[in-house]
Amino acid sequence: MLLQEVVVAESKFFLKSEWGPASDDWPAVSFSKKSVGRRMRGMYNPSHDFVIYVGTTNPINTPDVAHRSRLLSLVSMDLRAEYLTRDLIPPESWTWSQKEHGDRWMYAFAITRAWTLDDLPTVYDYAPRAYRQLGNPANFGGFVQLDSQEGEAIQILSITEVLLKKQAAAIKVDARARFLDAPKELKQEVYRWAALIDPRVIPSDSASTRWNPHREANPRTETMEMLFKKWETQKGFCGLCQRPIPMPAAPGLLQPSPDRIDSTKADYRTENVHITHLGCNYAKNKYSVDAFEDWLEVVSGGLAREGV
């Protein structure tokens, strides 16, 4: 695959010095100063911009001689949140870094995708001007944007995608990014589902509420993420009848609805929630999934006999 196959006309490229290619040992774009992260937020567009890792000439910062002054990786990163590096990389990598380099590279953005540049081309053949700028003290530990000519030159390079093993925090970032990038209609529905759950919890301390006073649910943001994950896991199928749920949502009984799998349990947490048709939710009511399936078998059989 050529690099030009993963970019668009608006893509910008930012050179960053690194000790080696992006890997499972360090699946994050790290930096030592928060100001570096603030600057990148003002320049980098996560939807179509990229960071290019390049090895330094310093044997301490780039120990493998085969990586020095070489273009190593192409990565895309999510700037929606800034993390402590230790939350995005394996514990043993952080322990090693602290021992060898102290408190450098404390902060990080999560990598969303990564590619290795095949044959590790020398930076001097493709981005010499940006590389020289990295040596400017003002750019130490930061990023330097390639000019249009260098940005054009690198697009003929061959790349291979690397599927990184991510830590829990980064996996959550990926899920949140999928939700934020989901179609508007689906996001509106997820918000509506969360709103259906939360009011049943908010008045739980009120003696006058008709809702179960012991019912619990996650906070709104967590609830939305949980419900979106349920939709992804179910692939848009009803958790009760196993038939597709229309999206954009259809009005009436076919619209999606969050349902407690076990209605005898008060909570709406992950293990006790699925997304169903509103009509299926009504039909199940306070009964078990098994009881609903028995009912569905009778109704479906009756319809089949009538040729529907």
Side-chain angles (χ1 to χ4, degrees):
M1 174 189 293
L2 297 181
L3 191 150
Q4 63 189 17
E5 297 178 51
V6 300
V7 305
V8 296
E10 298 79 18
S11 292
K12 300 190 296 290
F13 304 94
F14 297 87
L15 203 63
K16 185 181 188 301
S17 60
E18 285 290 344
W19 64 275
S23 69
D24 291 343
D25 292 332
W26 203 284
V29 180
S30 299
F31 42 92
S32 299
K33 299 178 180 179
K34 281 184 167 290
S35 59
V36 172
R38 288 195 295 270
R39 285 198 299 272
M40 279 305 287
R41 283 196 178 94
M43 298 187 296
Y44 181 95
N45 187 323
S47 67
H48 55 66
D49 291 344
F50 299 88
V51 172
I52 300 175
Y53 285 4
V54 62
T56 71
T57 58
N58 187 328
I60 296 177
N61 293 334
T62 306
D64 190 335
V65 66
H67 294 158
R68 294 176 196 164
S69 301
R70 298 284 177 165
L71 298 175
L72 305 173
S73 297
L74 178 79
V75 304
S76 59
M77 57 186 187
D78 191 329
L79 270 61
R80 294 184 178 104
E82 182 180 299
Y83 293 84
L84 294 175
T85 295
R86 66 169 181 257
D87 293 333
L88 296 180
I89 68 174
E92 56 272 21
S93 294
W94 184 245
T95 299
W96 170 85
S97 177
Q98 288 286 285
K99 180 181 178 181
E100 296 293 326
H101 302 287
D103 289 334
R104 297 177 67 184
W105 310 306
M106 288 286 292
Y107 312 105
F109 292 123
I111 291 177
T112 52
R113 295 182 71 183
W115 299 260
T116 297
L117 278 92
D118 299 338
D119 302 322
L120 304 182
T122 174
V123 66
Y124 298 113
D125 289 343
Y126 296 94
R129 292 183 295 279
Y131 193 51
R132 282 196 297 269
Q133 290 181 51
L134 277 179
N136 186 322
N139 296 322
F140 285 176
F143 302 79
V144 170
Q145 184 176 343
L146 273 65
D147 60 34
S148 58
Q149 185 177 1
E150 292 182 335
E152 184 75 21
I154 65 169
Q155 295 190 38
I156 65 170
L157 295 175
S158 177
I159 58 175
T160 300
E161 185 160 14
V162 180
L163 300 179
L164 299 179
K165 182 179 180 181
K166 300 180 181 181
Q167 302 301 299
I171 293 172
K172 187 174 182 180
V173 169
D174 288 346
R176 185 171 297 165
R178 289 196 304 276
F179 172 60
L180 293 173
D181 293 337
K184 178 181 178 181
E185 295 83 359
L186 178 55
K187 287 191 287 189
Q188 290 174 334
E189 278 299 302
V190 172
Y191 186 89
R192 184 180 67 82
W193 305 339
L196 288 172
I197 293 176
D198 285 352
R200 307 182 190 192
V201 182
I202 293 171
S204 62
D205 294 331
S206 171
S208 62
T209 181
R210 65 187 178 91
W211 304 113
N212 186 329
H214 301 295
R215 211 171 260 179
E216 298 178 357
N218 298 315
R220 176 68 60 87
T221 300
E222 293 182 9
T223 302
M224 291 175 65
E225 292 176 358
M226 178 266 286
L227 291 171
F228 177 72
K229 184 175 181 180
K230 287 290 180 179
W231 176 265
E232 283 192 318
T233 301
Q234 294 177 211
K235 301 184 185 301
F237 285 81
C238 174
L240 286 170
C241 74
Q242 309 306 320
R243 292 174 174 82
I245 301 174
M247 186 60 64
L253 297 178
L254 289 180
Q255 66 181 287
S257 173
D259 174 49
R260 286 174 297 144
I261 296 171
D262 184 348
S263 297
T264 66
K265 295 182 178 180
D267 65 78
Y268 277 83
R269 298 187 188 277
T270 303
E271 63 274 11
N272 196 40
V273 174
H274 56 182
I275 309 301
T276 70
H277 293 111
L278 180 62
C280 291
N281 194 346
Y282 283 161
K284 173 175 164 282
N285 202 318
K286 64 181 180 180
Y287 301 102
S288 68
V289 172
D290 289 344
F292 172 85
E293 290 176 346
D294 290 341
W295 170 83
L296 183 64
E297 183 177 0
V298 171
V299 173
S300 299
L303 291 174
R305 286 192 295 274
E306 293 177 20
V308 177

